[in-house]
Amino acid sequence: MAAPLASKAGSAGTNSKPPFPELDFRSGARVEELNKLIQEFTKHDQREYDDQRALEIHTAKDFIFSMLGMVQKLDQKLPVANEYLLLSGGVREGVVDIDLDELNVYARGTDYDMDFTLLVPALKLHDRNQPVTLDMRHSALCHSWLSLRLFDEGTISKWKDCCTIVDHINGATNYFFSPTKVADWFYDSISIVLSEIQKKPQRGMPKVEKVEKNGTIISIILGVGSSRMLYDIVPVVSFKGWPAVAQSWLMENHFWDGKITEEEVISGFYLVPACSYKGKKDNEWRLSFARSEVQLKKCISSSLMQAYQACKAIIIKLLSRPKAISPYHLRSMMLWACDRLPANYLAREDYAAHFLLGLIDDLQHCLVNKMCPNYFIPQCNMLEHLSEETVMLHARKLSSVRSDPAEHLRTAIEHVKAANRLTLELQRRGSTTSIPSPQSDGGDTNQPDDRLAKKLQQLVTENPGKSISVFINPDDVTRPHFRIDDKFF
């Protein structure tokens, strides 16, 4: 039936009126307002580092690397020429897939100002060109035991005290590398080294404010000048190549195709000290693709990353009890969204609000269906172990966010502003003078240190999460030499 002529005339007249503001259907929030709130959150969450702060970051990094050199010298267990992965953000920020229920709660502003995660290989398997086959017979998906049969007799002898022993009927003995025993050894070794360092303090040396074992990671908070830096140090097993269990993932189409090479994405993976819900803690490691995720992050638009960071800030507070959802789950959902949605849509700079609302919807969908596939091993459901009561409790909490996203964004902004105020207050109380490097003799800060500070500032602000190759001379642990991808320092 045709529309009446009067209706047509009326509709024509509406063209002269200003367009109605775009609204979120569920909450009624103005999309423009949500975009502005996300931008405000980003402004307060991402801070610029001046030369003084960059030099303090360098001093703390230098101290951690020197400490690890002394740990290697202690009993020669760690490789002399090692390759660390330095990630911006602590374990609690979801930069690696490790369970958070065993970790003490640290708060930015109250306990630390900046946080990093450092993956430190205890063992390396770097001479393999074919897909790496792991012993997954005893483990849940995405987990593995690690037999030292893959290594030489010298390595077995060195590490057998950090293994669980299984005797076979034929009389053979198999040593399985134990994540809990490795973490215990690492914590004890770091404690010994820090005790020795503190007996002979040097001018400009960071103050060790806290050393704690959190499950299988070691958390160290250093005070350097007016800064407090949290390092979550994770002992890992490092592999070159790609695990056979994730080989089928390479056959699929992905959002990063054509933007970065496959060689960059599959250059290596790790086993991190974390077990499955029903796994044996003393034996089971979890596969981690942190090195690949650093590369994939380059292909994610800034507006989507802003939405992700804002959403993460909301859920860390809201879904903290009981511990069921971690920021790593949200990261996985974001990667799946990148594969699912058109690149030109995700590149829209004015769509941060749409992305935030979409991430909340995705997370709620995953909870209601108790299904969150691992991005690299989709057959692994990371929410499978949760009870119906837990997932529904968190889904209801997310429903409240979805009903009023603007209010939850304002709360997240207030939290980050409060953390920044605490940091500034500490800086006002602290020293305003330059902090010499631990290697220096305590004299005036020299030009090379200034240049190094600027280089490090570039590292932190432009290249977070780069792979750092480190060579430490056991006879001179005060001078670590390291390379960040193709940049030398």
Side-chain angles (χ1 to χ4, degrees):
M1 180 176 172
L5 290 175
S7 297
K8 289 183 179 180
S11 63
T14 60
N15 291 337
S16 60
K17 294 181 181 179
F20 200 77
E22 187 179 3
L23 300 179
D24 168 38
F25 185 90
R26 173 70 189 89
S27 65
R30 294 178 58 157
V31 169
E32 182 183 5
E33 181 190 9
L34 294 178
N35 275 326
K36 288 180 179 177
L37 288 170
I38 293 170
Q39 288 171 8
E40 185 179 356
F41 173 83
T42 302
K43 180 182 72 174
H44 294 293
D45 190 51
Q46 296 178 354
R47 294 155 298 161
E48 294 294 325
Y49 300 125
D50 57 19
D51 284 351
Q52 178 63 26
R53 180 59 65 89
L55 186 55
E56 290 169 353
I57 293 171
H58 161 64
T59 302
K61 178 276 309 169
D62 200 44
F63 180 85
I64 292 291
F65 282 9
S66 296
M67 177 200 72
L68 290 171
M70 295 177 73
V71 168
Q72 193 282 332
K73 192 176 181 183
L74 204 60
D75 54 13
Q76 307 295 315
K77 274 186 163 71
L78 292 181
V80 173
N82 215 347
E83 188 173 357
Y84 307 151
L85 185 69
L86 179 65
L87 302 167
S88 298
V91 167
R92 295 157 192 79
E93 292 292 314
V95 295
V96 285
D97 184 16
I98 290 183
D99 307 311
L100 304 182
D101 54 351
E102 294 184 337
L103 305 186
N104 292 338
V105 177
Y106 300 150
R108 181 173 137 185
T110 305
D111 300 296
Y112 65 89
D113 307 310
M114 287 167 287
D115 52 336
F116 304 93
T117 297
L118 189 64
L119 304 190
V120 179
L123 289 175
K124 299 191 299 182
L125 273 172
H126 281 191
D127 57 348
R128 303 194 164 212
N129 295 319
Q130 69 272 22
V132 180
T133 301
L134 298 168
D135 186 355
M136 297 181 168
R137 294 171 297 172
H138 317 284
S139 306
L141 270 170
C142 215
H143 296 80
S144 178
W145 290 22
L146 182 68
S147 171
L148 289 194
R149 283 181 178 177
L150 298 171
F151 299 87
D152 56 58
E153 286 298 323
T155 301
I156 294 174
S157 175
K158 195 182 294 184
W159 282 106
K160 65 169 57 176
D161 59 335
C162 290
C163 293
T164 57
I165 301 171
V166 177
D167 292 320
H168 293 284
I169 299 173
N170 61 9
T173 299
N174 203 347
Y175 295 94
F176 288 100
F177 207 42
S178 169
T180 53
K181 292 185 177 182
V182 170
D184 289 342
W185 163 82
F186 206 23
Y187 175 70
D188 291 342
S189 298
I190 286 175
S191 298
I192 290 169
V193 165
L194 289 177
S195 177
E196 288 299 313
I197 290 174
Q198 288 170 323
K199 286 178 183 176
K200 300 176 182 177
Q202 300 177 26
R203 184 179 175 186
M205 188 174 74
K207 179 186 176 185
V208 180
E209 297 189 354
K210 189 174 291 186
V211 183
E212 290 186 337
K213 185 169 174 287
N214 285 280
T216 52
I217 70 171
I218 293 87
S219 299
I220 300 176
I221 296 179
L222 300 176
V224 189
S226 58
S227 301
R228 297 160 300 165
M229 292 166 216
L230 166 63
Y231 269 85
D232 283 328
I233 302 178
V234 186
V236 299
V237 181
S238 172
F239 295 84
K240 290 290 187 189
W242 199 247
V245 69
Q247 201 69 21
S248 61
W249 178 79
L250 296 174
M251 304 299 109
E252 305 294 332
N253 294 324
H254 296 291
F255 71 97
W256 48 267
D257 292 336
K259 299 176 182 175
I260 51 177
T261 65
E262 186 174 283
E263 288 71 23
E264 289 176 288
V265 174
I266 66 170
S267 62
F269 68 100
Y270 298 98
L271 296 181
V272 297
C275 74
S276 61
Y277 178 63
K278 294 182 179 179
K280 190 174 180 182
K281 285 189 175 182
D282 288 344
N283 282 34
E284 196 170 85
W285 299 77
R286 181 172 297 160
L287 273 75
S288 169
F289 301 91
R291 185 188 294 272
S292 302
E293 288 163 4
V294 168
Q295 300 299 324
L296 300 185
K297 187 178 175 182
K298 299 175 183 176
C299 305
I300 298 176
S301 70
S302 60
S303 52
L304 179 55
M305 282 305 303
Q306 288 173 11
Y308 163 74
Q309 295 292 351
C311 189
K312 183 173 71 170
I314 291 170
I315 70 163
I316 283 179
K317 299 289 184 186
L318 187 74
L319 307 184
S320 59
R321 293 287 184 272
K323 288 282 175 60
I325 294 295
S326 83
Y328 189 82
H329 292 106
L330 187 66
R331 177 188 287 232
S332 300
M333 294 169 201
M334 177 177 65
L335 292 173
W336 281 118
C338 290
D339 273 358
R340 184 176 69 242
L341 296 164
N344 57 354
Y345 169 77
L346 293 173
R348 289 285 299 266
E349 293 184 2
D350 56 342
Y351 268 35
H354 296 81
F355 302 152
L356 172 70
L357 298 172
L359 287 170
I360 296 169
D361 288 340
D362 258 9
L363 185 52
Q364 193 168 21
H365 175 83
C366 288
L367 283 166
V368 169
N369 291 280
K370 212 167 80 169
M371 173 64 71
C372 179
N374 181 284
Y375 181 67
F376 299 92
I377 306 177
Q379 59 270 37
C380 172
N381 176 13
M382 296 189 292
L383 300 183
E384 186 177 25
H385 64 281
L386 297 180
S387 69
E388 295 294 334
E389 293 79 9
T390 297
V391 294
M392 290 311 297
L393 170 65
H394 285 318
R396 283 194 293 271
K397 288 181 179 179
L398 278 177
S399 180
S400 71
V401 178
R402 195 62 185 82
S403 298
D404 195 353
E407 183 58 32
H408 284 83
L409 276 171
R410 291 188 192 98
T411 301
I413 290 167
E414 288 308 310
H415 281 145
V416 74
K417 286 168 72 174
N420 290 342
R421 282 196 297 269
L422 285 170
T423 296
L424 290 171
E425 180 60 31
L426 182 75
Q427 287 176 333
R428 278 195 289 268
R429 290 189 215 150
S431 170
T432 58
T433 58
S434 296
I435 306 298
S437 169
Q439 295 104 284
S440 73
D441 58 5
D444 293 336
T445 305
N446 51 34
Q447 279 303 112
D449 270 345
D450 288 340
R451 289 196 297 270
L452 187 54
K454 289 174 183 175
K455 288 181 182 178
L456 196 78
Q457 182 180 7
Q458 182 181 3
L459 159 69
V460 173
T461 57
E462 296 179 10
N463 302 298
K466 292 293 187 181
S467 174
I468 299 182
S469 302
V470 184
F471 178 80
I472 299 174
N473 180 353
D475 298 319
D476 183 11
V477 296
T478 64
R479 294 183 178 276
H481 306 281
F482 60 104
R483 182 192 68 190
I484 303 166
D485 285 354
D486 56 348
K487 297 174 184 152
F488 290 83
F489 290 78

